[in-house]
Each structure stands twice: as structure tokens, then as C-alpha cells.
Amino acid sequence: MTDEPDAIQVGRAGRTLRNAAHWLGGKGDLFAEEFAKALGKSLGESAGKALAVAGLVTLLGTLVTHVATWLQAISWPF
């Protein structure tokens, strides 16, 4: 009995491992792309909502300021 490895079996095992690594690498790339898309969409929607709310709060603040200025300018009672 020899302790030398069978070159054919080693080659087949190497190809199998290489193919498995390529397959897993492709799945990892797909996962990373889909994750990035979902994250970007979620952040974009959240940022859009936050900007809309901030804009609304700014407009309401301006309205309250103008109404207060108007009320100070008129004499009481109406």
C-alpha cells in the first residue's frame, strides 16, 4: 500500500471545491446586491418621509409666526 495520493481523485475533489466556491460566491454577490437595494429603498423612503415632515413643520411654524404677528397688529376686540 502506498501513501501517495491518487492524482485523479485529488483533481476531481479540487474541481468540485472550485465549482462550489464559484456557486457560493455568486450567491453571496446576489445576496449583497439585493440587501443593498432593499436597504437603499428603505433609507430613501424614510429620508423622504422625514424631509416631508420637516418641511411641514417648518411651514406650520412660519404660519404660526405670521398669525401671531397679525394678532399683535390688530386691536382688541375685533
Side-chain angles (χ1 to χ4, degrees):
M1 197 160 170
T2 65
D3 288 41
E4 293 182 28
D6 183 354
I8 294 174
Q9 286 182 341
V10 170
R12 285 182 185 154
R15 280 191 301 278
T16 301
L17 286 174
R18 184 191 67 216
N19 291 342
H22 284 297
W23 184 81
L24 285 174
K27 296 298 178 189
D29 289 344
L30 180 62
F31 172 79
E33 282 181 34
E34 293 301 319
F35 179 79
K37 285 180 191 177
L39 181 63
K41 182 178 179 184
S42 176
L43 290 176
E45 289 174 355
S46 297
K49 289 175 186 175
L51 288 174
V53 169
L56 182 59
V57 168
T58 301
L59 288 174
L60 287 175
T62 302
L63 177 63
V64 167
T65 301
H66 288 297
V67 168
T69 302
W70 178 75
L71 286 173
Q72 290 173 357
I74 64 170
S75 60
W76 291 92
F78 297 107

